[in-house]
Amino acid sequence: MTTTTLSYQGSRIRLRGAMLNLTDMWQAADRPPNRRPSDWLALEETGRFRTHAGTHASDATDLFAPNAGLAGICHLDSDGLVATVRGNQGGTWAHWQLALTYARYLSPPFHLWCNTVLRAAMQRPDDAPAAGHDPLWANLDQQFQRLHRRLDILDVLDRHAADLMFLTLSTQDLLLGTRRDFSPASQAAIRRTVAAEPYGGQCPCCENASVLTRAGGSAEGAEFDHFFHRGLNRPEHGWLICANCHIELNRGGYLLRFSYMPRFRAFQAAVLEQRHRGRIGHGRTAE
């Protein structure tokens, strides 16, 4: 199968059948540090996505081991979702639905472009390149095509989860009513979490802007964002984010906010961990 090359701001992104080159996507998104394909594949959220995809396989035969004749050229992960190919035409390749999740991790503008251009390219079967005699790509394409059926199920689950969030927010509006600001103590707890690893004072939403001053206060433009509802104001209900992220989340509606749920959940877990450590520390001091 031949390779189709798309261009994002002058950078190529290769696709072959159902496969997208994650290495190309990372380079096209200006090579953000700590967001290489390998960094993203190592994340807990990515692992959960892949595990969930595997549980929806209709039969164990849906998962194929790489062709023995390709040993040393291509390494296919055991779940069949990701392949690493050596050589000038290689890199890290993934099924397109997994690749779109990686695009969201890279940047919102790039994710939007992928949702339109790449999805449109994947949905034009009449324009798809004809199969050739390349055994490597023929083998990989066969394996990735088998994943369409079970990954389509994940699209449905995502839509149901987004609808559930909309209903939850609507219910909270009725029950909670007016906005409740974060108390000084809650703000201090959120700032402590932002100051600690892995954030180091950077915006936990985009990780590209500083939201703390050298003295540990809130940087100019930084906002305490109520993630779930303006009436929920405990430390685990919000985060300190940069002005750009705050504008984007508040203008983008509940669907955009839902797409940022994994990042907020990670921050929320860090807040609760900070609180747990504080309780242990107070207990030891009392002793």
Side-chain angles (χ1 to χ4, degrees), residues 192 234-236 271-287:
R192 283 195 298 271
R234 292 180 63 82
E236 64 270 23
V271 170
L272 295 175
E273 177 63 21
Q274 285 278 343
R275 177 186 296 174
H276 178 67
R277 291 177 181 175
R279 287 172 178 170
I280 293 177
H282 286 309
R284 288 175 177 172
T285 302
E287 292 174 2

Side-chain angles (χ1 to χ4, degrees), residues 1-2 15-16 21 26 33 65 75 102-103 107 111 135 142 146 150-151 154 158 183 185 198 234 252 261 274 279 281:
M1 176 170 285
T2 57
L15 63 98
R16 296 176 70 99
N21 191 299
W26 174 72
H75 172 74
Y102 178 56
S107 77
H111 183 217
Q142 180 188 40
R146 292 296 186 98
R150 74 174 188 263
L151 286 178
L154 296 180
D158 276 346
S183 68
R234 292 180 63 82
M261 180 74 78
Q274 285 278 343
R279 287 172 178 170

Side-chain angles (χ1 to χ4, degrees), residues 7-285:
S7 177
Y8 175 75
Q9 298 182 350
S11 297
R12 71 170 185 175
I13 297 178
R14 289 167 291 170
L15 63 98
R16 296 176 70 99
M19 297 170 287
L20 288 170
N21 191 299
L22 301 187
T23 306
D24 289 351
M25 294 172 68
W26 174 72
Q27 293 172 344
D30 294 330
R31 302 168 179 253
N34 302 322
R35 290 179 181 261
R36 296 175 177 82
S38 57
D39 299 321
W40 178 69
L41 289 169
L43 293 177
E44 182 180 353
E45 287 291 332
T46 307
R48 282 202 291 266
F49 179 92
R50 296 176 66 175
T51 300
H52 189 64
T55 62
H56 285 81
S58 59
D59 189 86
T61 55
D62 279 347
L63 304 178
F64 286 85
N67 186 294
L70 302 175
I73 300 175
C74 162
H75 172 74
L76 181 71
D77 285 3
S78 59
D79 60 6
L81 285 165
V82 177
T84 305
V85 182
R86 297 180 183 177
N88 293 332
Q89 298 302 314
T92 302
W93 295 75
H95 185 277
W96 68 269
Q97 290 203 23
L98 186 62
L100 287 179
T101 306
Y102 178 56
R104 182 174 65 191
Y105 172 76
L106 287 172
S107 77
F110 183 63
H111 183 217
L112 180 62
W113 180 86
C114 288
N115 272 342
T116 54
V117 177
L118 289 181
R119 286 292 293 269
M122 297 298 301
Q123 293 170 358
R124 290 198 299 265
D126 293 339
D127 298 334
H133 301 287
D134 184 342
L136 169 63
W137 294 113
N139 174 62
L140 286 176
D141 183 60
Q142 180 188 40
Q143 295 170 45
F144 280 111
Q145 290 289 352
R146 292 296 186 98
L147 296 172
H148 275 296
R149 180 172 66 257
R150 74 174 188 263
L151 286 178
D152 282 344
I153 297 174
L154 296 180
D155 273 348
V156 176
L157 293 176
D158 276 346
R159 288 195 295 271
H160 286 329
D163 290 342
L164 180 60
M165 183 174 183
F166 171 73
L167 293 174
T168 301
L169 291 174
S170 299
T171 303
Q172 288 174 340
D173 264 335
L174 293 173
L175 296 177
L176 299 174
T178 59
R179 175 188 176 91
R180 299 174 65 194
D181 291 332
F182 291 101
S183 68
S186 293
Q187 293 182 22
I190 292 173
R191 280 195 293 265
R192 283 195 298 271
T193 303
V194 174
E197 292 297 330
Y199 304 107
Q202 297 297 106
C203 172
C205 183
C206 68
E207 300 179 2
N208 291 325
S210 178
V211 293
L212 291 180
T213 64
R214 290 181 178 273
S218 302
E220 183 177 358
E223 295 281 352
F224 287 95
D225 175 72
H226 297 75
F227 191 85
F228 294 114
H229 190 273
R230 62 184 180 274
L232 298 172
N233 66 342
R234 292 180 63 82
E236 64 270 23
H237 295 150
W239 52 356
L240 182 64
I241 58 178
C242 67
N244 288 338
C245 287
H246 190 254
I247 292 172
E248 182 180 18
L249 285 175
N250 282 280
R251 291 182 179 177
Y254 81 96
L255 285 175
L256 178 65
R257 190 169 285 271
F258 173 75
S259 72
Y260 282 88
M261 180 74 78
R263 299 184 193 182
F264 177 74
R265 286 299 192 193
F267 183 81
Q268 185 180 48
V271 170
L272 295 175
E273 177 63 21
Q274 285 278 343
R275 177 186 296 174
H276 178 67
R277 291 177 181 175
R279 287 172 178 170
I280 293 177
H282 286 309
R284 288 175 177 172
T285 302

